Amino acid sequence: MAVERDTRLAQKVYQQYLTFFDKAERERRWHPIHDIPWEKINRELPEALVLNAETFCCVESYLPDYVAGGINVVRKSFGQAWFSANWGYEESKHSIALMEYLMRSGRRSPEHMFDLQAQLMEKEWRLPFTTARQMTVYGCFQEQATFVIYCRQEAAASQAGDEALRTIFRLNARDEIAHARFYEDVIKLLLEEDREATVLDIAWVAKHFEMPGVGIVPDYESRVQVMRDVGHIDRDLFLQKVYFPVLKYLGVTREELVAAAGQLRKMASASANGAPVNPATV
Ligand SMILES: [Fe+2]
Ligand SMILES: [Fe+2]
């Protein structure tokens, strides 16, 4: 029975991927060298915005870890695994565009950028969750959050008169929201299969959500200080611009989430030391 159910779900996820892929090929392909108006770089752009571009370039640069961890956790789901491959290609352009911006603007030397890349790879990003369903929920929140941040950076770059950087953030943001949508559509399918367990995972992941750069990008805390007024996601902003819009799209009510949070608390108090219990482990 379980195999039959898994096969049915796999077919639906594959259809979702085909829809995503078709739309991406027809409407969303862009070229990080040819589609950016490099001649419109504002060479006087405030350093804070340059530093933010560098920080996002850093976060995007853990691609080897995202791809390796992300694709393996979903390898049994054809549609999601193929999505991961396509996702990796799209994400690879985000860091290339930002890196090219930093070097072409003359604000960072190639030596600096390659030293930074080497420094980044000394640390490794590890999967924050270990099941396909929890990683799908995580991916959804992370993509939506990155979309919100990039839209804000786009507005800041536009206001500062840098058409090149504005275009990069616009194209990146358009990809990120498409990624968020794919994850959301998969979560809808997961909700159809097992609503209670999926809502429990949503509650668990939301409670333990952190952006991927935390703890691995050098000087992350001081970078966040610079970012704070131009696009950092704090808890309030996460709730308003990420969490609640995602729940609305999914058709999951706050009452359901409150009930799930209550269940997580119950599981914690029933555990030997009262520590939180990941629902994926029971
Ligand atoms: Fe990205
Ligand atoms: Fe993305």
Side-chain angles (χ1 to χ4, degrees), residues 60 83 87 90-91 94 139 142-143 146 150 172 175-180 183:
E60 297 271 5
F83 169 81
W87 177 91
E90 293 190 5
E91 294 293 347
H94 301 173
Q142 184 273 325
E143 296 286 350
T146 309
Y150 282 172
N172 284 5
D175 287 350
E176 312 297 15
I177 197 64
H179 300 159
Y183 286 126

Side-chain angles (χ1 to χ4, degrees), residues 12-21 182 185-186 189:
K12 288 184 189 167
V13 173
Y14 174 68
Q15 281 309 321
Q16 210 63 63
Y17 173 60
L18 270 195
T19 305
F20 167 89
F21 179 73
F182 173 79
D185 291 334
V186 173
L189 297 175

Side-chain angles (χ1 to χ4, degrees), residues 8-35:
R8 199 175 60 232
L9 179 63
Q11 277 183 356
K12 288 184 189 167
V13 173
Y14 174 68
Q15 281 309 321
Q16 210 63 63
Y17 173 60
L18 270 195
T19 305
F20 167 89
F21 179 73
D22 178 47
K23 200 160 189 266
E25 293 291 304
R26 284 188 297 107
E27 299 172 13
R28 210 162 38 73
R29 290 292 169 243
W30 62 279
H31 198 305
I33 296 167
H34 301 300
D35 293 338

Side-chain angles (χ1 to χ4, degrees), residues 1-9 193:
M1 269 313 164
V3 171
E4 229 173 71
R5 194 190 62 202
D6 288 352
T7 306
R8 199 175 60 232
L9 179 63
E193 291 294 317

